[in-house]
């Protein structure tokens, strides 16, 4: 995710894939309880007694402590390739953009375009697993848990292939915009730290400086694309036909029936609670794994 090198060999790609997989497993497992509560809150229409904090004792009472990790196997299975593809393709796209433009594009523009393409690429390659994760997390007090692959087979048999990809185009838009904004902001803030403390390499930055840069980028990006995430989750968890004909139809319907703050931005605070530690854990581990691989494995 560094700023400017071009040309990435197979060794670099392996580093991104291995480091991304390791970071994804730990970070996603750590924030799984928040994600479970967020998905239930996002996909429940109307007011809930006690708001989203009321979901916590409900899940604990009805399903037990381990239910906070329901759907985590599917989440980890999706996030490992998602994060790896996103990181590797982001650097590849940066190199391609630099080569095709002759370096004419400024770093922020290049990083936004590369991040957008990387986000859309990662979303489209792992979307069915995300649909399964959302449905597993949405199931509260609905009988026995259903395995990831069993759910894939059932959805395919009962609703068809299209159900596994429902909302995918919207997710590519949202995931692409999120990736572009996140990577662009992340690199801008890292460059400010470079200037502030007088260093040239990302490796010379402290862990907290990278974490603050990424967390800020994540929060800014999440705030701007969050409505798309709300609509996507509702489309994924709907059984049968899609509840919304388009992104605009979804936005206007939710705004009219539920409001802006309690509808379109429903669960945003939960998402902030999830994003900040997730980014901190991910960055620390990803950089640690990547530097370790470069130092000891090759």
């Amino acid at each position: 995710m560094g700023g400017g090198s071009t040309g990435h060999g197979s060794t670099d790609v392996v580093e991104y894939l291995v480091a991304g997989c390791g970071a994804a497993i730990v970070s996603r497992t750590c924030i799984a309880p928040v994600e479970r509560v967020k998905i239930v809150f996002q996909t429940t229409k109307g007011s809930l007694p006690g708001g989203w904090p009321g979901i916590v004792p409900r899940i604990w009472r009805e399903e037990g402590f381990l239910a906070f990790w329901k759907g985590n196997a599917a989440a980890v299975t999706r996030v490992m390739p998602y994060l790896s593809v996103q990181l590797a393709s982001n650097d590849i796209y940066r190199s391609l953009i630099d080569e095709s433009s002759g370096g004419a594009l400024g770093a922020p523009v290049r990083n936004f375009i590369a991040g957008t393409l990387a986000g859309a690429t990662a979303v489209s390659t792992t979307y069915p697993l995300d649909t399964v994760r959302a449905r597993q997390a949405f199931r509260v007090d609905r009988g026995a848990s259903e395995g990831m692959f069993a759910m894939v087979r059932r959805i395919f048999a009962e609703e068809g292939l299209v159900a596994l990809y429902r909302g995918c185009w919207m997710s590519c838009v949202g995931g692409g915009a999120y990736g572009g904004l996140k990577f662009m902001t992340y690199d801008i803030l890292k460059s400010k730290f470079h200037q502030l403390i007088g260093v040239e390499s990302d490796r010379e930055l402290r862990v907290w400086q990278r974490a603050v840069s990424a967390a800020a980028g994540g929060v800014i990006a999440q705030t701007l694309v969050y409505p798309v995430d709300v609509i996507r989750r509702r489309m994924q968890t709907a059984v049968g036909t899609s509840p919304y004909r388009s992104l605009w139809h979804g936005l206007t319907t939710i705004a009219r029936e539920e409001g802006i703050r309690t509808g379109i931005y429903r669960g945003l605070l939960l998402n902030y609670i999830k994003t900040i530690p997730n980014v901190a854990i991910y960055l620390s581990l990803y950089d640690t794994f990547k530097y370790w691989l470069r130092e000891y494995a090759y």
Side-chain angles (χ1 to χ4, degrees), residues 12-250:
D12 295 310
V13 174
V14 171
E15 288 175 1
Y16 297 143
L17 294 175
V18 174
C21 283
I25 293 171
V26 178
S27 62
R28 178 55 62 173
T29 300
C30 288
I31 58 91
V34 179
E35 181 72 1
R36 174 83 203 279
V37 173
K38 188 197 80 170
I39 291 177
V40 173
F41 188 65
Q42 276 184 328
T43 53
T44 303
K45 293 184 178 181
S47 60
L48 288 171
W52 64 260
I55 297 173
V56 176
R58 176 188 167 195
I59 293 175
W60 190 310
R61 182 177 61 253
E62 296 178 359
E63 302 181 70
F65 177 70
L66 292 181
F68 288 104
W69 281 267
K70 179 182 287 186
N72 190 54
V76 169
T77 302
R78 169 190 171 269
V79 167
M80 282 194 298
Y82 176 86
L83 194 55
S84 300
V85 168
Q86 186 184 67
L87 291 170
S89 61
N90 179 61
D91 280 282
I92 291 170
Y93 286 136
R94 287 186 183 191
S95 295
L96 293 175
I97 292 171
D98 279 339
E99 292 169 6
S100 62
S101 67
L105 287 179
V109 175
R110 180 205 62 189
N111 294 340
F112 177 77
I113 295 173
T116 299
L117 293 173
T121 300
V123 166
S124 61
T125 54
T126 60
Y127 195 77
L129 293 174
D130 190 46
T131 297
V132 170
R133 178 177 69 92
R135 291 208 183 187
Q136 285 182 327
F138 181 59
R139 292 166 65 94
V140 179
D141 192 28
R142 298 189 182 191
S145 298
E146 188 176 14
M148 179 178 62
F149 295 109
M151 182 173 283
V152 170
R153 289 193 298 268
R154 181 179 61 77
I155 293 174
F156 179 77
E158 296 178 0
E159 304 174 53
L161 181 64
V162 67
L164 291 170
Y165 283 92
R166 182 181 295 145
C168 183
W169 66 269
M170 192 180 302
S171 294
C172 286
V173 172
Y178 174 77
L181 290 167
K182 180 182 67 175
F183 283 120
M184 180 182 69
T185 306
Y186 178 46
D187 283 319
I188 288 174
L189 294 177
K190 281 197 303 180
S191 68
K192 297 300 182 184
F193 274 118
H194 286 177
Q195 297 170 11
L196 185 63
I197 63 178
V199 300
E200 297 183 359
S201 170
D202 284 354
R203 189 168 187 174
E204 296 178 83
L205 293 177
R206 296 178 182 273
V207 171
W208 71 265
Q209 293 166 339
R210 290 194 297 268
V212 167
S213 299
V219 168
I220 292 170
Q222 280 288 353
T223 303
L224 294 176
V225 305
Y226 190 75
V228 178
D229 190 50
V230 172
I231 297 171
R232 172 174 66 98
R233 290 300 184 200
R234 294 194 178 186
M235 293 179 72
Q236 285 179 324
T237 55
V239 177
T241 59
S242 172
Y244 309 117
R245 296 189 300 271
S246 64
L247 175 60
W248 180 249
H249 178 242

